[in-house]
Amino acid sequence: MGYRVVVAGATGNVGREMLNILAERQFPVDEVAALASRKSLGTEVSFGDKTLKTQDLDTFDFTGWDMALFAVGSSATKTYAPKAAAAGCVVIDNSSLYRYEPDIPLIVPEVNPDAIEAYSNRNIIANPNCSTAQMVVALKPLHDRARIKRVVVSTYQSVSGAGKEGIDELWDQTKGMYVPGQEVEPSKFQKQIAFNVIPHIDVFLDDGSTKEEWKMVAETKKIVDTSIKVTATCVRVPVFVGHSEAINIEFEDFLDEDEARDILREAPGIMVVDKREDGGYVTPVECVGDFATFISRIRQDSTIENGLNLWCVSDNLRKGAALNAVQIAELLGNRVLKKG
């Protein structure tokens, strides 16, 4: 006997990827419902070799469904997630709405699987921000060995993190650079994204950081360890899919780069590609469609007593969103619901 699973926001980038990954990983399902807003009603989406017609999120009855993967944004989640949870359907939410609620678990299965037990507080589980998810997968096994004091991270985030509108704007602006009369002014992004980088993701806060940078700080503390100090600079780059991060880590104890490399090679969810030669590292283009978080450029930082630098790349639509949600569903099934 398998699960009855709902995917809310099934016509969006992340929702479609959730359906793809459920099928790819052969998640034990008896039935899948694809939900969308009324304007997308009846749109067909793929689930393995099947085609599903979207149903109306507004009128859907969650009674009798086991779990719902939400990819609809915070405002819609605020309306529909409590309805699903009250009906006995466990919500795994990809928005930022519930991530910082103390009684709602924020989970990356390779990092803090035991937090799944707290799902029963409100029948809701939060999925972390895309940039946080891949970073903490790399940090946790190193933290277990040498205890991390401080992390300095600079991100290089793809336009797919801003949804279909972000992808379209990069595509259209790039074409417009070469075709007179087809120039495209910024609308989704604050400045031109084609052939440019923008050090601004989400809104500015009073201290000068952006909300995206604050998310990386708060979520790392909640998922890994509250004592870790994190400072982030988040940058949008003209890449369609795949987030990259340059991460500088300061430890309490010395950790040799060779040992760190060995630790990461054995860690779940990580693929180390680290050759000190031309092309001996992973770039965003190469990580698209892959489940792994790729680590390259591991090296000592000689400017501090116990420091390491590394390069971290992952498909943000997968590990940063849809894959992590499905992994949470797998964890929920294996540890708690135990069907299938």
Side-chain angles (χ1 to χ4, degrees), residues 9-263:
T11 59
N13 289 338
V14 173
R16 288 177 187 271
E17 200 65 18
M18 285 174 170
L19 289 166
N20 289 339
I21 293 170
L22 285 166
E24 283 177 30
R25 292 173 73 90
Q26 299 181 322
F27 188 83
V29 296
D30 278 351
E31 188 176 358
V32 177
L35 308 187
S37 62
R38 197 156 290 170
K39 68 180 181 181
S40 300
L41 203 57
T43 300
E44 293 187 341
V45 292
S46 296
F47 173 63
D49 56 2
K50 299 178 182 176
T51 299
L52 307 176
K53 277 196 173 180
T54 56
Q55 303 176 55
D56 187 0
L57 173 60
D58 192 45
T59 59
F60 188 79
D61 183 0
F62 289 91
T63 305
W65 293 83
D66 295 300
M67 54 183 84
L69 280 59
F70 269 56
V72 293
S74 293
S75 58
T77 297
K78 190 172 185 177
T79 300
Y80 300 107
K83 291 181 180 178
C89 178
V90 182
V91 173
I92 300 169
D93 176 37
N94 194 60
S95 81
S96 62
L97 182 65
Y98 294 112
R99 290 175 189 158
Y100 316 106
E101 298 282 334
D103 59 343
I104 289 182
L106 178 66
I107 296 178
V108 176
E110 298 94 333
V111 178
N112 61 336
D114 292 344
I116 196 73
E117 303 294 339
Y119 89 96
S120 57
N121 291 340
R122 290 167 67 180
N123 249 17
I124 297 173
I125 302 166
N127 208 26
N129 190 40
C130 49
S131 51
T132 306
Q134 67 187 72
M135 183 173 77
V136 297
V137 169
L139 294 183
K140 180 59 162 62
L142 300 177
H143 181 63
D144 288 345
R145 162 62 181 82
R147 293 200 62 81
I148 295 171
K149 290 171 60 177
R150 181 172 185 254
V151 174
V152 181
V153 56
S154 297
T155 71
Y156 306 75
Q157 295 179 227
S158 66
V159 294
S160 57
K164 183 178 182 297
E165 299 96 332
I167 293 173
D168 290 345
E169 188 156 314
L170 173 57
W171 176 254
D172 292 338
Q173 270 187 4
T174 303
K175 288 192 298 181
M177 300 287 285
Y178 294 100
V179 183
Q182 291 191 19
E183 296 83 1
V184 175
E185 290 298 313
S187 60
K188 182 64 180 177
F189 300 114
Q190 304 85 0
K191 297 197 177 192
Q192 174 186 313
I193 186 60
F195 304 99
N196 198 18
V197 298
I198 306 171
H200 178 191
I201 302 177
D202 213 322
V203 298
F204 275 100
L205 306 178
D206 289 342
D207 67 354
S209 63
T210 64
K211 186 77 176 289
E212 184 82 357
E213 292 156 358
W214 175 85
K215 288 174 187 175
M216 294 193 75
V217 176
E219 293 174 20
T220 301
K221 287 176 175 290
K222 185 172 180 179
I223 296 167
V224 184
D225 191 328
T226 56
S227 68
I228 296 175
K229 296 178 180 179
V230 181
T231 182
T233 300
C234 293
V235 182
R236 190 73 71 189
V237 297
V239 170
F240 285 112
V241 178
H243 286 358
S244 305
E245 296 171 350
I247 306 173
N248 176 267
I249 310 167
E250 182 180 1
F251 298 92
E252 289 185 6
D253 302 319
F254 177 75
L255 178 59
D256 177 75
E257 63 186 43
D258 292 326
E259 184 182 355
R261 199 174 286 110
D262 290 340
I263 289 169

Side-chain angles (χ1 to χ4, degrees), residues 277-290:
E277 60 187 43
D278 292 352
Y281 42 81
V282 173
T283 62
V285 168
E286 297 156 281
C287 80
V288 175
D290 208 297

